[in-house]
Amino acid sequence: MEEILIRIEKATAFLLEKSEGRKPRVGIVLGSGFSDWTNKLKTILDIPYKEIPGFPTTSVIGHRGHLILADVEGFPVLIMQGRFHYYEGHSMPELAIPIRVFKKLGVETLLLTNASGSINRNYQPGDIMILSDHINLVQDNPLIGPNVEAFGTRFPDAANIYTSELQQIGLLVAAKYGIRAHNGVYVFTSGPAFETPAEIRMMRTLGADAVGMSTVPEAMAACHANMKVLGISLIANLGSGMADHPLTHEDVMHTMNRVAPNLHQILDELVLKLSAMS
Ligand code: HPA
């Protein structure tokens, strides 16, 4: 744990110096296929993760690994372009490092994006799900180990991880840009294999609406640190066993690319709204 805290301190010190006094209040984690959103932003800093002391490094196709500080209409916004995953071998406390660094840099509102597979039979690829809650099937947690009081309490309440006011804003903005948006429960699995059809049936019985391999570790760290969280999932494919063809990462990327222009509009508006509120 001490090693993790030292890594958080190192990364924070490095980024504080680079950001020259700018205080981002909003942070975003861009998951699979969301990364291109940064292309048209006014970039202040763009640093590969591997150059940030203490940061983990990433390796997945379709995920870039850069930390970006951008100016969005006068608001400094901190962006993770590409994230770290449990299935890459990172421990849960390692997955919390960037979120804790964000918090130390001043971020109070966190927008978490991801791609997921549907479980709910009403969901279609290309729809969006605003996370109302999650189920952590991995049963590992970034908060295990000595508690860091500076971040939050030993036993954080997890009843409102996803801020209800932000959920409403997410649903309204998605509807405005013509994307079908749902409010549902995200279930976190370790991956990297997609689920079996039996697992999808089990998850449906448990009350989940979509399944993915990310977001929950970050949301737990943010909840501990008392940050506001908005979770947005793009339904990239039907869950295992629900379609008549095998599931591939290329399918996931295909849907992401198809809806990217709408997703970008949604992110533009949300980031501005969240910044104005923070
Ligand atoms: N399962 C798990 N993670 C995913 C999926 C899926 O079907 N699609 C995109 N990420």
Side-chain angles (χ1 to χ4, degrees), residues 83-137:
R83 60 149 57 83
F84 307 109
H85 296 87
Y86 194 63
Y87 62 73
E88 291 172 89
H90 300 296
S91 70
M92 285 291 222
E94 272 185 295
L95 296 176
I97 290 175
I99 305 306
R100 290 175 156 175
V101 171
F102 272 32
K103 173 77 183 185
K104 284 179 91 73
L105 293 172
V107 170
E108 291 297 341
T109 304
L110 188 64
L111 174 54
L112 298 173
T113 66
N114 66 49
S116 63
S118 71
I119 294 174
N120 189 315
R121 294 188 196 283
N122 292 324
Y123 292 12
Q124 288 299 322
D127 292 355
I128 268 182
M129 184 181 83
I130 303 294
L131 277 65
S132 59
D133 203 348
H134 72 229
I135 297 172
N136 178 2
L137 272 193

Side-chain angles (χ1 to χ4, degrees), residues 115-118 189 193-195 200 211-213 236-240 247 252:
S116 63
S118 71
T189 56
F194 289 116
E195 299 66 43
I200 293 291
V211 54
M213 307 173 192
N237 54 275
L238 298 177
S240 170
L247 234 170
V252 174

Side-chain angles (χ1 to χ4, degrees), residues 166-235:
L166 302 189
Q167 289 180 47
Q168 295 315 313
I169 293 174
L171 289 166
L172 284 175
V173 172
K176 178 169 164 187
Y177 291 103
I179 285 209
R180 220 161 69 109
H182 312 276
N183 204 198
V185 175
Y186 177 90
V187 57
F188 169 53
T189 56
S190 68
F194 289 116
E195 299 66 43
T196 66
E199 285 166 344
I200 293 291
R201 290 195 296 275
M202 174 194 73
M203 290 167 178
R204 189 176 299 124
T205 305
L206 292 178
D209 297 295
V211 54
M213 307 173 192
S214 69
T215 302
V216 165
E218 298 145 1
M220 290 307 307
C223 162
H224 183 237
N226 214 12
M227 294 159 89
K228 290 185 182 167
V229 180
L230 173 58
I232 301 186
S233 190
L234 182 85
I235 308 296

